[in-house]
Amino acid sequence: MPSADYQKMVDDLATARRITYNVPDLACNTTIQELKIKSYILMAHAIIEEYLENISLHVAKEAIRELNSNSTVTTALLGLISSGIIGRIEEDGISRKIKREPFEDLKLFAETAFGRFKTVVSSNNGIKKEDQLKLLIPIGIDPETEDPATMAALDSFGGKRGAIAHVFKISKSHTLSEIDGDLKTIRLGLLNYDSACLANV
């Protein structure tokens, strides 16, 4: 069963699609129709980005809760701890303290790693490949292994959003049918990400 975060994303995408009212499926004939399509792309991108951030944080929070409540080390917690160690090494270099720290107080180190991860999530700015890796690797999910087709579809859609977010140009280059097709592929693929996230808790 999909997560509540996934279901919210699906509902929000359906709401965002309303902006395309009266836009034909296979053509973009007027400036207003193009602006509606571009708005739909921007909103859909924001909704998908929000989903990836929310599900990643949800899994990380659950991993911390499992450790604190049940002394259980989940796959997501291992990912958080590993990313926490890598983050510390990148900042401080390898030191004796970093080698000992996770073992001396695992809960404290996990909380610190979670804090670092929250900063990564809050500064996230997209759904392209590098964004997916930043959000999912620290909770134990490699999108390249999990579902490379979805990773590529998200990266491509992120590119479309980038092309319209930074330049205002009337070109009628996208159709509603094309964007609906992209989003259907992404929605179905994100079910795989969603299942992997829930399995790591």
Side-chain angles (χ1 to χ4, degrees):
M1 183 170 160
S3 67
D5 291 313
Y6 180 87
Q7 192 54 55
K8 179 184 182 305
M9 177 196 68
V10 170
D11 293 345
D12 289 348
L13 285 171
T15 300
R17 194 184 186 286
R18 293 180 190 167
I19 197 157
T20 63
Y21 178 72
N22 276 344
V23 175
D25 283 344
L26 301 175
C28 194
N29 301 315
T30 68
T31 300
I32 294 297
Q33 288 175 357
E34 182 180 7
L35 291 173
K36 286 182 173 189
I37 294 287
K38 286 184 174 183
S39 297
Y40 183 34
I41 292 169
L42 291 171
M43 287 187 287
H45 181 279
I47 291 163
I48 294 165
E49 182 179 332
E50 179 185 44
Y51 161 74
L52 288 171
E53 292 167 358
N54 288 346
I55 193 71
S56 298
L57 268 182
H58 170 78
V59 171
K61 284 177 188 172
E62 283 299 304
I64 296 294
R65 189 190 61 72
E66 278 294 316
L67 177 66
N68 290 331
S69 300
N70 305 316
S71 297
T72 301
V73 176
T74 63
T75 304
L77 185 70
L78 288 174
L80 273 176
I81 290 169
S82 299
S83 69
I85 291 170
I86 291 166
R88 289 288 303 277
I89 289 170
E90 287 172 353
E91 287 174 11
D92 305 329
I94 297 174
S95 70
R96 278 199 174 122
K97 187 176 180 187
I98 293 171
K99 291 177 184 177
R100 287 191 327 263
E101 217 170 43
F103 305 102
E104 290 174 346
D105 191 340
L106 182 62
K107 289 182 180 180
L108 178 61
F109 191 84
E111 289 285 350
T112 302
F114 177 67
R116 288 173 177 276
F117 182 60
K118 282 197 328 191
T119 301
V120 167
V121 172
S122 67
S123 64
N124 181 58
N125 224 359
I127 61 172
K128 291 184 71 61
K129 177 180 176 178
E130 59 271 17
D131 303 307
Q132 295 172 62
L133 292 172
K134 284 190 303 188
L135 294 173
L136 296 171
I137 292 285
I139 57 167
I141 297 164
D142 182 352
E144 284 184 293
T145 304
E146 195 61 48
D147 192 332
T150 297
M151 182 181 218
L154 287 165
D155 190 68
S156 174
F157 198 79
K160 283 180 183 173
R161 177 262 183 191
I164 63 172
H166 303 293
V167 176
F168 183 76
K169 184 170 124 181
I170 303 299
S171 61
K172 301 183 180 90
S173 54
H174 300 293
T175 65
L176 182 56
S177 177
E178 170 204 348
I179 302 308
D180 280 343
D182 289 349
L183 292 174
K184 181 178 180 184
T185 299
I186 288 168
R187 272 194 327 271
L188 292 174
L190 284 176
L191 278 172
N192 295 328
Y193 280 21
D194 201 68
S195 296
C197 285
L198 296 179
N200 279 7
V201 176

